[in-house]
Amino acid sequence: MTKKPTINIGIPEDVRKKIAAGLSHLLADSYTLYLMTHNFHWNVKGPMFNTLHVMFMQQYTEQWTALDLIAERIRSLGFPAPGTYKEFSKLASIQEVEGVPAATDMIQHLVDAQEATARTARDLFPLVNDANDQPTADLLTQRLDVHEKTAWMLRSLLEE
Ligand SMILES: [Fe+2]
């Protein structure tokens, strides 16, 4: 049997485990949001088609890159990253949307999912700050910035 290498980065194992668990929730929400956005890119209809089709593509492309950063931070903390639909559906706070909603309903679903992902990231902050885990804090800060900005842009489409 090979010996498991130890990790000594200045954050105790039990704390690393809690941060990895929080990041797993963020990964699940981010993946669910990613898939919702790509689904709506495919299925959107109506007078706003071109605007939304292109806007959703920009959003899911950015989100896809972020999934990798979140998963690899979990690995750097010494824990396995979830990577199946089964695990994601258990860990996510976002409900999947059934059927094909109208364009304005798609926008509202995305606002809700962007905000839910921001809340999941924000909930993890106190633990990460207490642990002096700057790389995770930096990642969370970047994700919060993107999700809050994207939620504003989507919300603006629904305003008169
Ligand atoms: Fe496409």
Side-chain angles (χ1 to χ4, degrees):
M1 213 170 88
T2 49
K3 191 169 160 277
K4 193 171 172 250
T6 55
I7 299 174
N8 183 8
I9 58 170
I11 306 172
E13 182 172 4
D14 60 325
V15 179
R16 279 189 282 110
K17 193 173 187 172
K18 281 184 202 154
I19 297 171
L23 284 171
S24 296
H25 285 288
L26 180 62
L27 182 60
D29 274 341
S30 302
Y31 203 101
T32 308
L33 171 62
Y34 155 78
L35 188 58
M36 186 187 292
T37 308
H38 211 150
N39 172 10
F40 292 170
H41 164 81
W42 294 324
N43 291 304
V44 69
K45 288 184 287 194
M48 287 195 289
F49 173 82
N50 204 44
T51 304
L52 295 182
H53 183 69
V54 172
M55 189 190 206
F56 295 164
M57 183 177 71
Q58 290 163 346
Q59 291 172 6
Y60 76 67
T61 303
E62 190 281 332
Q63 289 157 8
W64 182 253
T65 308
L67 295 175
D68 204 48
L69 300 176
I70 300 165
E72 291 181 359
R73 185 62 199 152
I74 296 171
R75 296 295 300 121
S76 302
L77 290 167
F79 294 90
T84 62
Y85 288 115
K86 201 172 169 180
E87 286 171 291
F88 287 149
S89 69
K90 262 192 244 163
L91 291 165
S93 72
I94 300 169
Q95 290 280 314
E96 284 195 301
V97 176
E98 288 183 28
V100 180
T104 51
D105 293 333
M106 284 182 177
I107 298 167
Q108 187 60 59
H109 281 303
L110 289 174
V111 170
D112 295 342
Q114 292 279 352
E115 289 179 348
T117 310
R119 289 193 301 273
T120 301
R122 183 162 276 113
D123 284 347
L124 191 51
F125 242 107
L127 177 65
V128 166
N129 276 341
D130 285 349
N132 240 341
D133 180 354
Q134 287 85 2
T136 302
D138 182 49
L139 178 60
L140 293 176
T141 303
Q142 289 177 47
R143 296 322 298 155
L144 280 168
D145 187 45
V146 169
H147 293 303
E148 291 176 9
K149 191 172 186 173
T150 309
W152 153 61
M153 288 180 173
L154 290 162
R155 232 183 270 120
S156 298
L157 289 166
L158 300 172
E159 287 169 11
E160 293 298 318

